[in-house]
Amino acid sequence: MVSLTHRVLLKGMQYRKEQRFCKKKGLKNFFVEIAGDIQVSGKNKEGEKWSVGIQNPFNIKEIIKVVYLSDKGIATSGNYLRGEHIHNPIFKKNANEVALVTVIADDIFDADRFATAAFAMGEKGIHFLESLKNIEGYMVTKSKKAIYTSDFEKYTIN
């Protein structure tokens, strides 16, 4: 079992606050980034889906995958920026079996919590994500292999 941290809850609450503000102002198209996690609504100024790059955990100056989103949240969990900070409560140790997990969900709250949970599970995490409805995931293993859920690729086409 993976417990939610206050950080996850606060990001989700902050996003919902920002979303209410945007909708109250009559905005239908917006991009909100909170601590590296992103929520998009509608389309960008060109009238297209928002494009979001996923960093290479082995070279953060490089984008390894681009996804195109509308009305979705996206979050990535990994140790490559902040060091080991995700704990696996089952094995009572820091999670470090995979390099990165990115999750696309209907909102940033679900994307963030499921990315963290899947990362803590190691390579089994992609199977956990596959079992969830309306959740797609992309994982990079320590051996630099990309694994993704069955419908993830639909977000890689604009």
Side-chain angles (χ1 to χ4, degrees):
M1 181 169 106
V2 176
S3 62
L4 294 176
T5 66
H6 288 86
R7 180 187 65 80
V8 172
L9 295 172
L10 290 173
K11 276 200 286 188
M13 289 174 12
Q14 182 63 36
Y15 161 69
R16 289 186 176 130
K17 180 180 174 184
E18 298 290 333
Q19 181 185 37
R20 283 193 302 273
F21 173 81
C22 290
K23 296 217 180 221
K24 186 176 178 182
K25 295 289 185 186
L27 300 173
K28 294 178 183 167
N29 304 306
F30 54 87
F31 179 110
V32 177
E33 184 267 333
I34 300 172
D37 297 338
I38 297 167
Q39 180 75 38
V40 297
S41 181
K43 308 258 173 139
N44 65 23
K45 67 181 180 180
E46 288 84 27
E48 298 175 352
K49 292 179 180 179
W50 297 94
S51 61
V52 178
I54 300 172
Q55 280 181 316
N56 180 343
F58 303 103
N59 176 5
I60 61 171
K61 294 179 181 179
E62 180 180 292
I63 301 298
I64 55 171
K65 186 67 74 178
V66 176
V67 294
Y68 301 92
L69 306 174
S70 182
D71 303 316
K72 294 288 181 188
I74 184 168
T76 297
S77 288
N79 291 330
Y80 60 99
L81 290 178
R82 294 175 45 202
E84 291 187 4
H85 66 284
I86 300 170
H87 187 75
N88 180 325
I90 294 171
F91 297 113
K92 297 185 179 3
K93 65 176 187 164
N94 285 335
N96 61 10
E97 293 179 24
V98 298
L100 161 144
V101 175
T102 295
V103 170
I104 298 170
D106 289 335
D107 68 38
I108 199 172
F109 179 76
D110 285 342
D112 190 30
R113 69 188 178 121
F114 290 128
T116 302
F119 186 88
M121 294 175 192
E123 287 194 33
K124 294 177 184 174
I126 202 73
H127 303 292
F128 164 70
L129 295 174
E130 186 72 58
S131 74
L132 301 172
K133 189 175 181 180
N134 299 321
I135 302 289
E136 296 303 327
Y138 179 81
M139 175 182 284
V140 177
T141 67
K142 287 214 164 178
S143 62
K144 302 182 180 181
K145 179 180 170 189
I147 307 168
Y148 43 87
T149 55
S150 58
D151 284 338
F152 180 83
E153 283 191 308
K154 74 180 179 183
Y155 294 106
T156 63
I157 301 167
N158 191 4

